[in-house]
């Protein structure tokens, strides 16, 4: 198997969508280059699927519709998403997506989140407490591995996959 390129043309979205099963949803592709400043994903929502209302507290997201149609709901109201539509989803604002009857395929692009690290916070005094940390596995997307930003989230904000039940 050939290694993917590190820059330049990374994939062919039209081919990815054509090769995927018609009802396959979730992330069909993501930017997997190690040294990068951006995250990008090609997401497909099957007909009628939705990404439930959620708020991304830290990152602005650029969404570009590649194929199909649907609706975007924000505090500004409901807007149609059609092929070629470009939407800016500002951090701190609630948003939801619903795919139309033909499904919806779109790219998302945003600044890369810093990786999680193990260790003590820098500066300040750390209080020691006993016991084990709560398991938050039910808040991690089984498809793309992104942790939910809200405890009550039912769907992944990145790829739309339903999160495991509590």
């Amino acid at each position: 198997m050939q290694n993917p390129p590190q820059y330049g043309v990374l994939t062919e979205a039209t081919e990815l969508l054509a090769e995927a099963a018609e009802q396959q949803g979730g992330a069909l592709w993501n930017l997997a280059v190690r040294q990068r400043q951006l995250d990008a994903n090609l997401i497909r929502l099957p007909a009628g699927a939705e990404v439930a209302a959620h708020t991304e507290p830290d990152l602005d997201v650029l969404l570009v519709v590649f194929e199909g149609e649907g609706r975007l709901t924000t505090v500004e109201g409901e807007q149609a998403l059609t092929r070629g539509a470009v939407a800016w989803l500002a951090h701190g604002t609630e948003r939801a997506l619903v795919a139309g009857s033909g499904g919806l395929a779109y790219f998302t692009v945003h600044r890369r989140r810093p990786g999680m690290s193990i260790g003590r916070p820098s500066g300040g005094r750390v209080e020691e407490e006993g016991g084990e940390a709560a398991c938050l596995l039910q808040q991690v997307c089984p498809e793309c591995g992104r942790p939910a930003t809200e405890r009550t989230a039912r769907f992944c904000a990145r790829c739309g996959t339903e999160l495991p039940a509590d």
Side-chain angles (χ1 to χ4, degrees):
M1 182 167 104
Q2 184 180 8
N3 290 332
Q6 297 295 301
Y7 53 88
V9 177
L10 302 176
T11 192
E12 175 52 59
T14 306
E15 289 177 15
L16 289 173
L17 289 164
E19 292 170 0
E22 189 174 322
Q23 287 303 309
Q24 180 181 349
L28 301 180
W29 176 86
N30 62 4
L31 185 59
V33 178
R34 284 184 178 263
Q35 300 298 322
R36 66 184 191 275
Q37 295 178 351
L38 292 175
D39 273 334
N41 304 284
L42 174 60
I43 308 294
R44 179 195 269 161
L45 295 178
E50 65 181 63
V51 176
H54 65 284
T55 302
E56 167 53 64
D58 302 318
L59 301 174
D60 288 354
V61 176
L62 188 68
L63 181 147
V64 181
V65 177
F66 192 79
E67 166 179 293
E69 47 86 27
R71 293 184 320 276
L72 167 66
T73 303
T74 67
V75 294
E76 300 292 323
E78 192 173 284
Q79 297 175 301
L81 292 174
T82 57
R83 185 175 182 212
V86 178
W88 173 51
L89 307 173
H91 72 282
T93 60
E94 186 175 87
R95 72 285 300 260
L97 295 172
V98 177
S101 61
L104 179 66
Y106 58 92
F107 281 101
T108 59
V109 181
H110 57 81
R111 182 175 40 90
R112 186 176 184 192
R113 288 182 188 281
M116 293 163 95
S117 62
I118 298 174
R120 296 180 182 265
S122 59
R125 186 172 160 218
V126 177
E127 297 291 328
E128 297 292 334
E129 292 185 13
E132 294 182 8
C135 178
L136 300 175
L137 190 56
Q138 74 277 5
Q139 291 183 277
V140 176
C141 177
E143 183 70 28
C144 70
R146 180 180 184 195
T149 57
E150 297 174 339
R151 186 154 182 68
T152 58
R154 293 181 36 231
F155 295 90
C156 176
R158 176 181 290 156
C159 70
T161 301
E162 188 169 4
L163 297 174
D166 285 340

